[in-house]
Each structure stands twice: as C-alpha cells, then as structure tokens.
Amino acid sequence: MTNTDLQTTESTTDGPFPFTALVNQESMKRALVLNAINPTIGGVLIRGERGTAKSTAVRALSDVLPEQTVVSDCPYGCPPDAIERMCEECRHRTQAGESLPTETRPMRVVDLPLDATEDRLTGTLDIEQALGEGQARFEPGVLAAANRNILYVDEVNLLDDHLVDALLDAAAMGENVVEREGISHRHPAEFILVGTMNPEEGSLRPQLLDRFGLVVDVEGVEDVAERVEISDRRAAFETDPAGFRREYAETEAALTRDIVDARDRLDSVSIPVPVKRAIAETNIRLGVDGHRGDNTLRRAVRALAAFRGETTVTTAMLREVAGMALDHRTVQLPFEEESTSVEGALSAAIDEHTT
C-alpha cells in the first residue's frame, strides 16, 4: 500500500468523494479547475504512482461543475442557445424554426477504456446503408458521449498512439470528423480532457505529451498531520458516504459558484503587454518548439485570474501556472549537463520585461 492509498476512494451510489475534501495535491486540483473554467487550455495529464488520488480527483471534479441545459433528444447534448456549437441536425432544426426540447443534466465523466478501438472512440459510418439509400447512418462513439462533459483516460500512456492522436485532434478542434470511403460525418466534441498515468509503467511520446495543455506530477503525502487527516476522511466517507458528502456540500457549492463566476469573467481578463512579453521570452529561453506553450500559458493564467476574481493577470499568477504549462515542453539536449528550469527562465524573463 502506498502512502496515499487511503485517499484513493471509489465513488459510491451516493456520489463521488467530495473534491473539496481532498487533502493536499493543490497543483492537481488547480489544473483540473483551470481546465473546467477554460477547456481550450487543452486538458491535463496527471502523472503519479498508484494511490495518489488521481482518479478520485477526476471523478470528484464532475460533482462541482455546474449543470447544463441540453437538447434532450440529441445524442451530443447540444446547447440549445448556441447555434454555432450545435450538431448539423440541431442547427437545421433551429433554422427551420423548430422549438427544440431541452432538459438540465449534470456534467459527467465519460471513460475511454484501454481496449477501445478507433471505431469505439470516434463512432462508425454504415457504408452499406449509404450505398443503398444514399445516406449514411452514424453510430456515435465515446467522443459523442463526451461532448460537453469530462473525457477521462486512465493509464493514457498504455493507450495505442493512434487513439491518443485521434483523441487529441478532436480535443484541439472541438469536433470529431469520421471519414469512410469518401463519406464523412462531423459532430461537436468539446470536452475537458483528463489523462492519468503511472510513469513507472511507461511514458508518452514527446509529440503526444506536448499536446496536453497542462501536466502535473503528484507524489505521496509525507506530512504526518495530513496523512492522519486523509485516513480520518476516508474512514468517515466509507462509514457514511451521504453524511460525509453533506458535510462538504457548502464548500462544494461555493466552488461551483466560483467556477461559474470565473467562466463569466474570463473574457474580461486582460494580460498586460509586459506579461505577454515575459511569456514569450520564457518560451524562447526554454527552447519550446512552436507557439503552443505561449498560448497554453496565456489561457491558463487568464483562467487563474478569473478564478481569483481579478481582471488583470499578474506575474505572481504567472509563476503559479508556468511549471504545469511548460515543464513537459522543455527538452534537455544531448551532452547538456543541466537544462534551463522553467522557474529560472521565467524569473529572467520577468526581470527583463516587467522591471
């Protein structure tokens, strides 16, 4: 048993372990919340040994996310008030003046099993029907179910690379496109992507690792008082799950309100020019390829500012998220004794452009 197995709990029929009851692991919780505020960050990969509450945190996240209104008879759960985010059928129905049926649903965690096929992930087209009737029937896959929800891949490092590629492509584009024999179908695929893995069981290729927005590494809790608190909370949850969840209902509801407010505030958050220049300079100093690092760091720090109730990004906020946005994008060159750290590059960039 690892030193944090006690914090790792499965969901019960009463619901998952409360997100706000998780002890420590602040970076993991922050990365998940930032992606909940702004899914365009690109998801989060959580790396750590077994028993570090990775899966528990992911399943708990869904419980603090606000409910959403969906088109009730749509397999993708389209938003009824945002035509630009609808599937083709919902869009046509709306443009024809039809009143779409709606219902309110909680966000949920959709799991992608390791043995999934590409058809299971993306969905399938019935080509024979298309040839016979002139219209292809589409059988939705995991990406359809994940639209506007959380898509969770445990042990993502063990998933076939071509599936990871398809998954990340859909996450980046916000839609899933399936093509067979010259026939194509597309549907919205907007989701909060979360992957977890144990580094001892293998790693992701750098090209795939780079495409996760944020990466956090979690370790076992070493503080005695925190370990005791983990054990106490685990025992209380196992004894009376419903009662334990009631104890945290107020803090859970407060976090939900904070996430909703942050989403509403996000578009009004600005990044001062000196901070923008510090972000660019940091990526240059680290030798980060392309511009994904710059864009991800901007999105993450704006989400943090929105969560804090601020409308302007500060360098202090930048320091809080730079590591999770850039550490996995730095590459140590052959024969290089020591690579430049994110903290060192950021400090130098801040000194150069903000003082």
Side-chain angles (χ1 to χ4, degrees):
M1 177 178 290
T2 62
N3 56 10
T4 47
D5 273 335
L6 293 175
Q7 182 159 254
T8 303
T9 62
E10 294 300 324
S11 301
T12 70
T13 54
D14 299 288
F17 191 87
F19 190 85
T20 55
L22 290 166
V23 177
N24 201 301
Q25 309 298 15
E26 297 305 319
S27 293
M28 174 173 65
K29 291 186 287 188
R30 183 183 301 120
L32 289 169
V33 168
L34 294 183
N35 271 276
I37 294 168
N38 183 7
T40 67
I41 287 171
V44 56
L45 174 65
I46 305 169
R47 302 183 295 198
E49 61 185 7
R50 289 188 299 274
T52 45
K54 301 186 298 295
S55 297
T56 302
V58 177
R59 302 198 183 283
L61 177 65
S62 64
D63 229 30
V64 294
L65 296 182
E67 292 186 331
Q68 53 191 0
T69 303
V70 305
V71 177
S72 56
D73 60 356
C74 173
Y76 315 113
C78 285
D81 55 352
I83 193 168
E84 71 281 0
R85 297 173 59 199
M86 290 180 178
C87 66
E88 186 176 2
E89 182 177 350
C90 286
R91 191 160 52 247
H92 286 168
R93 292 167 67 186
T94 299
Q95 292 170 340
E98 181 179 343
S99 180
L100 302 179
T102 64
E103 65 180 1
T104 300
R105 296 176 186 167
M107 291 186 69
R108 60 195 180 94
V109 176
V110 177
D111 292 272
L112 177 64
L114 287 179
D115 60 355
T117 62
E118 186 170 0
D119 284 347
R120 178 76 184 91
L121 173 64
T122 63
T124 57
L125 281 168
D126 189 333
I127 301 301
E128 290 185 3
Q129 183 186 43
L131 295 175
E133 302 177 15
Q135 184 176 3
R137 180 173 61 85
F138 179 69
E139 185 66 32
V142 170
L143 290 177
N147 187 46
R148 305 182 70 202
N149 289 296
I150 300 168
L151 180 53
Y152 176 44
V153 189
D154 191 16
E155 298 182 309
V156 64
N157 52 316
L158 304 183
L159 195 67
D160 286 344
D161 280 355
H162 74 282
L163 290 182
V164 179
D165 275 326
L167 181 65
L168 292 171
D169 283 343
M173 295 188 299
E175 70 172 359
N176 175 41
V177 181
V178 180
E179 295 181 333
R180 299 286 188 276
E181 306 294 335
I183 299 172
S184 66
H185 179 86
R186 63 181 63 226
H187 67 77
E190 300 176 3
F191 48 82
I192 300 170
L193 174 63
V194 184
T196 55
M197 59 176 280
N198 183 350
E200 296 176 354
E201 298 173 350
S203 59
L204 280 177
R205 288 191 290 115
Q207 296 89 335
L208 298 178
L209 187 63
D210 175 65
R211 294 178 63 185
F212 275 94
L214 307 179
V215 174
V216 292
D217 293 296
V218 294
E219 298 178 347
V221 175
E222 300 293 342
D223 181 83
V224 171
E226 289 184 343
R227 287 167 67 96
V228 171
E229 186 64 24
I230 289 170
S231 300
D232 287 346
R233 294 185 187 186
R234 165 73 181 266
F237 180 71
E238 289 185 339
T239 300
D240 182 9
F244 185 79
R245 284 172 54 79
R246 282 195 297 272
E247 288 184 27
Y248 287 88
E250 187 173 332
T251 57
E252 295 277 283
L255 179 54
T256 301
R257 290 193 297 271
D258 288 343
I259 290 172
V260 172
D261 291 344
R263 288 176 174 178
D264 292 340
R265 192 181 296 114
L266 185 61
D267 287 343
S268 65
V269 174
S270 63
I271 306 178
V273 171
V275 177
K276 291 180 180 179
R277 295 183 66 84
I279 290 173
E281 178 71 26
T282 301
N283 279 272
I284 292 171
R285 286 175 177 269
L286 292 172
V288 175
D289 292 334
H291 302 284
R292 189 172 286 133
D294 301 63
N295 295 333
T296 300
L297 186 48
R298 282 193 181 202
R299 292 166 184 159
V301 76
R302 287 182 67 241
L304 179 62
F307 186 62
R308 297 276 170 79
E310 304 292 340
T311 57
T312 305
V313 168
T314 66
T315 56
M317 296 173 189
L318 198 57
R319 292 183 188 278
E320 289 188 56
V321 297
M324 62 180 69
L326 299 179
D327 266 335
H328 60 294
R329 305 182 198 279
T330 62
V331 179
Q332 185 169 344
L333 299 175
F335 310 113
E336 188 177 35
E337 294 184 1
E338 186 176 349
S339 59
T340 304
S341 70
V342 171
E343 182 179 356
L346 179 61
S347 293
I350 289 173
D351 288 343
E352 181 173 343
H353 295 285
T354 66
T355 57

